[in-house]
C-alpha cells in the first residue's frame, strides 16, 4: 500500500471529520472510498468490454476484417507522400 499526504481547507477537513464520525469510519477510509468511487468504479466493466470487443469499433463495417485493416494501415505509403523529395 502507498501513502499520500493531502492538505485540506479547514471547512473541508471539518466536513470530512463530521462524516467520518457519522459513518463510524476514519477520514482516510472516506477518502479511499471517494477515490475508488470517482476513478475506479466501472473500471472492471470497461476492461471486460474492451476484452470482448465491445468498444467503439465493434459494429463498424467500413473497416472490414480487422486483421486486413491493420495490415493495410501498416503498408500505407502515407509517410512517402508527406515527405516528397
Amino acid at each position: 500500500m502507498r501513502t499520500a499526504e493531502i492538505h485540506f481547507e479547514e471547512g473541508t477537513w471539518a466536513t470530512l471529520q463530521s462524516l467520518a464520525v457519522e459513518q463510524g469510519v476514519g477520514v482516510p477510509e472516506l477518502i479511499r472510498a471517494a477515490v475508488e468511487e470517482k476513478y475506479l468504479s466501472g473500471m472492471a466493466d470497461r476492461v471486460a468490454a474492451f476484452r470482448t470487443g465491445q468498444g467503439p469499433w465493434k459494429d463498424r463495417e467500413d473497416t472490414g476484417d480487422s486483421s486486413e485493416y491493420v495490415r493495410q494501415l501498416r503498408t500505407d505509403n502515407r509517410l512517402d507522400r508527406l515527405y516528397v523529395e
Side-chain angles (χ1 to χ4, degrees), residues 2 7 17 31-32 35 40 42 51 57 60 72 74:
R2 303 290 301 233
H7 300 268
Q17 285 182 313
I31 295 169
R32 278 192 291 274
V35 168
L40 303 177
R51 288 191 174 147
W57 288 55
R60 287 190 58 168
Q72 183 271 326
R74 290 180 178 160

Side-chain angles (χ1 to χ4, degrees), residues 9-23 27 30:
E9 298 290 332
E10 289 298 323
T12 303
W13 180 251
T15 301
L16 286 171
Q17 285 182 313
S18 158
L19 287 169
V21 169
E22 182 181 300
Q23 295 179 21
V27 171
L30 283 179

Side-chain angles (χ1 to χ4, degrees), residues 47-78:
V47 169
F50 176 76
R51 288 191 174 147
T52 60
Q54 295 176 348
W57 288 55
K58 178 184 177 197
D59 296 323
R60 287 190 58 168
E61 296 177 8
D62 61 322
T63 60
D65 178 57
S66 60
S67 298
E68 290 298 320
Y69 180 71
V70 170
R71 264 190 222 102
Q72 183 271 326
L73 289 175
R74 290 180 178 160
T75 60
D76 190 356
N77 65 354
R78 175 174 50 97

